[in-house]
Amino acid sequence: MVNKFQSIKGFYDVLPERQKLFRFFEKIALDILDQYDFCEIGLPLVEPTSLFIDSVGSFTDIVEKEMYSWKDSLNNDQLTLRPEGTAGCVRAVIENNLTYNGSTKLFYRGAMFRHENVQKGRQRQFHQLGVETFGLSNASADAEQIILLDRLWKKLKLKNISLVINSIGDAEDRKIYRSQLIEYFEKNIKTLDDDAKRRYKNNPMRVLDSKNKDMQEMLNNAPKLSDSLSSDAKSHFNELQELLSKNNINFEVNNRLVRGLDYYNRTVFEWITNELGSQGTIAGGGRYDYLVESLGGKSTSACGFAIGIERIVLLLEQNDQLTTYLPDIYITNNGAGAQAFALSVAEKLREEAYRVSVNLEGTSFKSQFKKADKSGAEICLVIGEEEVEKNIIQIKLLREKGDQFSIDFSKLIENVKKILN
Ligand code: HAM
């Protein structure tokens, strides 16, 4: 018996139709990142486990129960498949001294791994595009990233997306707030569910994120972090809001937004859609001014975000947008010498930067025309034995059905340009 293999739960093949949407997203996103002068950094998929414990935090969902970690039996290293990119990026910045010239603006993309419950928009292997700015403490750095994202959503023609922001203050503000919260939860211990009871002492702010309906009233009455913010943190947050307003970015301040990773301080933000069910966060991020130092680097302000690419692809699919790159020209061919001629015609057209698909199946013209129609191309070229002999080509306009004429091969580019430009 031969074993029949299947991909493991939460890990998917990206089939060609969907991969086109990944490419579409990436192309637009990469162009925008160039416009904002962010440089790409390539990072390993595997890092020391302790890097994530020390950065994401031991009492977070990610570290507590979602990491793919193992001991490399060849040298006893404790390793983890990266669940997110910020930790590795900070490690690389410190290790390679990338802030020696002051600030630096980086981005990375690729697979991340979290052992989560699988559902629509939530996989165990997923892809992020992450962006990190190092060495800038002012609110302009946070604002620039949010403005970039706003531009990206517009270019992708995504609709019904909203921005939620909050400030979770600095370490000192949060220390005071944490003890206020713990005290408050202790007073309301009867209303806490098991999950909240388990984590309120170690991670009280995460309890605020609970979606449990029975806890909402108690949570709404909990002390607010905004009341404990230092004046510096407050003015940073005010400045950010002014910058966003000046750039016509709509946002909502939600005092309960804290995010699921421990390294943040001051600004946190999420972009949310209501079109994906419960997994509606398409991008999230914030400031993490203490992380570089806490991982052994020089004290360096930083902020960043990551986009969940699968969720964007789902939105593109749902909206049924014309997002894929269709061929401009489809070349049908049949008969002696026709395919060889078709290949050289295609090269000539590609030289002019057209997207060309050549039918290589050698089937009847009738069946090739059907494929040409389906391809989405605007022009179909028809090459048969007669065309090869006389060095001519027939042009068939696919959008205006039936319109077909012959031209000399030497006039091909001229004619194609007239039709397509
Ligand atoms: P995060 O909120 O954990 O932040 O992830 C960012 C985005 O990745 C989410 O908003 C979501 O779109 C996507 N995502 C997360 N988990 C999954 C999953 N299981 N399946 C599909 N998509 C998922 C971070 O990872 C931070 N490193 C972001 C950051 C960068 N903060 C500062 N710099």
Side-chain angles (χ1 to χ4, degrees), residues 79 198 282 300 348 360:
L79 303 174
R198 194 175 52 81
I282 54 170
T300 306
K348 200 172 155 79
L360 298 175

Side-chain angles (χ1 to χ4, degrees), residues 29 31 44 50 68 121 143 157-158 163 166 171 211 241 260 275 302 313 319 353 360 367 389 394 405 407 409 417:
D31 282 349
S50 49
Y68 287 89
K157 299 199 174 67
L158 300 184
L163 169 64
N166 189 23
K211 304 278 180 294
Q241 293 180 57
E275 291 181 8
V313 166
N319 296 349
L360 298 175
S367 111
E389 234 164 71
Q394 287 193 54
F405 52 94
I407 50 147
F409 178 51
K417 274 190 182 156

Side-chain angles (χ1 to χ4, degrees), residues 311-373:
R311 296 187 187 175
I312 305 293
V313 166
L314 278 173
L315 283 180
L316 293 171
E317 266 170 0
Q318 266 172 219
N319 296 349
D320 213 11
Q321 272 160 239
L322 188 63
T323 46
T324 48
Y325 295 103
L326 304 173
D328 300 307
I329 300 153
Y330 192 96
I331 308 186
T332 59
N333 55 87
N334 188 292
Q339 201 159 84
F341 189 32
L343 285 177
S344 58
V345 169
E347 282 315 298
K348 200 172 155 79
L349 290 163
R350 290 183 186 126
E351 206 57 42
E352 301 289 322
Y354 291 114
R355 283 184 289 264
V356 187
S357 182
V358 184
N359 187 302
L360 298 175
E361 290 168 343
T363 48
S364 69
F365 271 122
K366 195 174 162 206
S367 111
Q368 291 191 38
F369 288 155
K370 273 193 195 147
K371 295 213 161 150
D373 270 330

Side-chain angles (χ1 to χ4, degrees), residues 371-388:
K371 295 213 161 150
D373 270 330
K374 265 201 185 149
S375 74
E378 204 152 315
I379 297 176
C380 171
L381 301 185
V382 186
I383 300 176
E385 278 174 30
E386 195 186 337
E387 282 72 27
V388 177

